Amino acid sequence: MMGPNKLIIAAAGSGKTTYLVRQALAVEEKRVLITTYTESNEEEIRRKFFEIHGSVPANVHIQTWFSLLIEHGVKPFQGKLFDWEVAGMLLVSEKSGSRGRDRQGRPMYWGEEDFQRCYFDRRNRVYSDKLARLVMRCNEAADGAVIERLSRIFPLILVDEVQDLAGHDLDILTALFRSPSNVVMVGDPRQVTYVTHLETRLKKYRDGGIADFVRAELPRKVTCDIDVASLMTSHRNSTAICELSSKLYPKLAAATACKCAECRQPVPDDAGLFIVQRRDLPRYIETRRPVQLRWSSSVKIAPADLPALTFGRSKGLGFDRVIVYPTKEMMDWLKNSQSALKAETRAKLYVALTRARHSVAVVYDIAHDEIVPGFTLFE
């Protein structure tokens, strides 16, 4: 055993991926798995290996969570449950397996007794929201062989962006904690902008409740240490950005800006938090060259040759300057931090604010006597 299972709660810009890459590089003889939810994060992990080490060592295997579940969880063990070829996965954003509506117009879904229609579309692609459940069914049918196989192949399992896992994914994590593998997970509960699936199972932990899940749901003999201190220093965000973004999640430890000379030099003259009125947008964008962030690609932005990303897509990235096109609820919160925010809106605002190293600008036509605490009007 290499050490206790561990969950590290991290702040934005604190070096989550760097931490996991260094953990993997410290192990030479044994096979290491690093898994994460999004393909963009998988690429970021590979990039980080090349940056730190020059290559990905032969004993390190990097794979997205969904791909891992199909390759190691379903295909080797499907024979006990079904005999057709799995043609990949269909990513769904709402409940899958619809069978139309009843006489009252309520939606109906295929159940477990209609196995193929419940788990697969017509092309035999497994629905993304049922994949983890299917893996747990394969594991039960094979007397625990799925988890046994994973733990034999990978004595060390590193999970990045663990806050994105939900529902039956958490059952798989619990089973891995019970296995001989050592599991180390890193995540920021403030950054739940995507979730692997909107499963009703363990729903109360869906919005960043991974630490609560570990505390409340693990069987007595299964241990997982929770570390809330090691990765709370941001190597990206300035003090002003750390203070503002930390207010979004007052129950979690506040992030602080690091004091590393290489991260903090030089601070540009335009560092800070700014309100930019629409009439001043072209000039702000031309002089400051920020990355534009918005809720969805349908939000109109200033015509510019600069990158524009949705809040969700920007996760994991860092820039010197960003300009945010806030929703009404986001703007209400910036004016008054007691204002209500839905969980997804709160997470996306946190992600947007914490992409910037030096300056965050918000597009807003401010009234003559209005104040947005901490922000300066760009003139």
Side-chain angles (χ1 to χ4, degrees):
M1 192 76 170
M2 295 158 147
N5 296 316
K6 197 192 269 188
L7 166 64
I8 300 165
I9 300 294
S14 60
K16 296 189 283 292
T17 308
T18 303
Y19 170 84
L20 288 181
V21 166
R22 293 198 187 283
Q23 292 285 309
L25 289 172
V27 178
E28 286 172 14
E29 299 79 51
K30 299 183 170 122
R31 277 177 67 97
V32 179
L33 167 69
I34 304 188
T35 184
T36 186
Y37 173 42
T38 63
E39 287 171 2
S40 59
N41 206 52
E42 182 199 11
E43 284 163 28
E44 170 66 16
I45 293 166
R46 287 183 197 284
R47 204 183 58 70
K48 193 61 78 175
F49 267 103
F50 281 93
E51 186 187 299
I52 292 173
H53 189 68
S55 65
V56 179
N59 66 315
V60 174
H61 181 72
I62 306 165
Q63 192 168 18
T64 63
W65 180 251
F66 283 143
S67 159
L68 176 80
L69 295 190
I70 290 177
E71 185 186 334
H72 291 285
V74 177
K75 286 190 169 178
F77 302 101
Q78 65 181 62
K80 302 256 183 194
L81 292 174
F82 63 96
D83 57 4
W84 54 85
E85 186 71 31
V86 179
M89 185 190 77
L90 178 67
L91 191 64
V92 295
S93 56
E94 47 204 39
K95 192 173 175 181
S96 64
S98 169
R99 54 182 292 185
R101 293 183 176 273
D102 65 13
R103 286 179 180 168
Q104 282 77 43
R106 293 172 301 212
M108 299 187 299
Y109 299 94
W110 296 107
E112 297 269 347
E113 64 281 359
D114 293 291
F115 186 87
Q116 191 159 4
R117 285 165 161 169
C118 175
Y119 286 98
F120 295 87
D121 74 349
R122 287 185 176 153
R123 286 169 51 190
N124 284 337
R125 293 176 298 182
V126 61
Y127 294 121
S128 60
D129 65 332
K130 306 254 178 73
L131 177 53
R133 190 161 121 203
L134 182 59
V135 168
M136 290 309 288
R137 286 211 48 186
C138 288
N139 190 53
E140 280 160 28
D143 296 325
V146 171
I147 300 300
E148 192 188 322
R149 171 194 170 94
L150 276 168
S151 68
R152 273 218 310 269
I153 299 174
F154 303 113
L156 177 59
I157 296 175
L158 305 174
V159 185
D160 201 1
E161 303 286 8
V162 72
Q163 76 279 352
D164 292 334
L165 303 186
H168 289 277
D169 296 319
L170 301 180
D171 294 327
I172 296 173
L173 287 179
T174 302
L176 288 170
F177 291 153
R178 285 178 144 144
S179 78
S181 286
N182 179 211
V183 183
V184 177
M185 311 176 293
V186 176
D188 184 351
R190 292 159 279 226
Q191 294 191 57
V192 184
T193 57
Y194 300 112
V195 177
T196 47
H197 53 265
L198 298 176
E199 173 66 64
T200 49
R201 173 151 177 74
L202 300 169
K203 183 181 174 183
K204 64 182 171 185
Y205 304 114
R206 194 192 292 160
D207 292 316
I210 184 71
D212 293 334
F213 166 77
V214 165
R215 288 187 196 104
E217 302 287 340
L218 293 192
R220 261 227 314 276
K221 290 182 181 164
V222 178
T223 56
C224 177
D225 294 347
I226 301 175
D227 174 350
V228 295
S230 297
L231 292 178
M232 271 301 139
T233 305
S234 179
H235 297 277
R236 178 191 305 140
N237 309 137
S238 66
T239 297
I241 295 168
C242 284
E243 284 173 1
L244 176 62
S245 59
S246 292
K247 277 186 195 162
L248 280 159
Y249 293 90
K251 288 183 180 163
L252 294 174
T256 52
C258 73
K259 297 194 166 52
C260 320
E262 64 272 25
C263 298
R264 298 296 157 205
Q265 298 300 334
V267 177
D269 299 338
D270 65 332
L273 308 173
F274 300 93
I275 297 289
V276 180
Q277 309 207 70
R278 283 198 178 267
R279 62 165 191 254
D280 299 321
L281 250 181
R283 201 160 52 83
Y284 185 86
I285 283 177
E286 196 180 312
T287 55
R288 306 287 169 87
R289 314 290 292 167
V291 172
Q292 304 186 77
L293 302 179
R294 53 185 169 171
W295 183 272
S296 73
S297 44
S298 63
V299 174
K300 282 206 167 53
I301 56 171
D305 56 350
L306 295 171
L309 296 165
T310 61
F311 300 142
R313 278 283 157 103
S314 72
K315 194 164 105 173
L317 304 175
F319 310 102
D320 284 345
R321 299 166 185 82
V322 301
I323 186 158
V324 179
Y325 292 79
T327 64
K328 183 188 180 303
E329 290 83 6
M330 288 176 176
M331 204 59 231
D332 289 345
W333 184 88
L334 289 168
K335 289 187 277 188
N336 171 14
S337 61
Q338 301 308 305
S339 180
L341 278 178
K342 284 196 202 75
E344 183 190 10
T345 309
R346 191 177 291 272
K348 286 185 172 175
L349 179 56
Y350 175 83
V351 167
L353 295 174
T354 54
R355 295 314 90 201
R357 291 184 191 94
H358 303 301
S359 79
V360 174
V362 174
V363 181
Y364 179 60
D365 287 333
I366 196 164
H368 173 60
D369 53 354
E370 219 176 352
I371 290 173
V372 182
F375 282 78
T376 308
L377 183 63
F378 171 75
E379 309 232 29

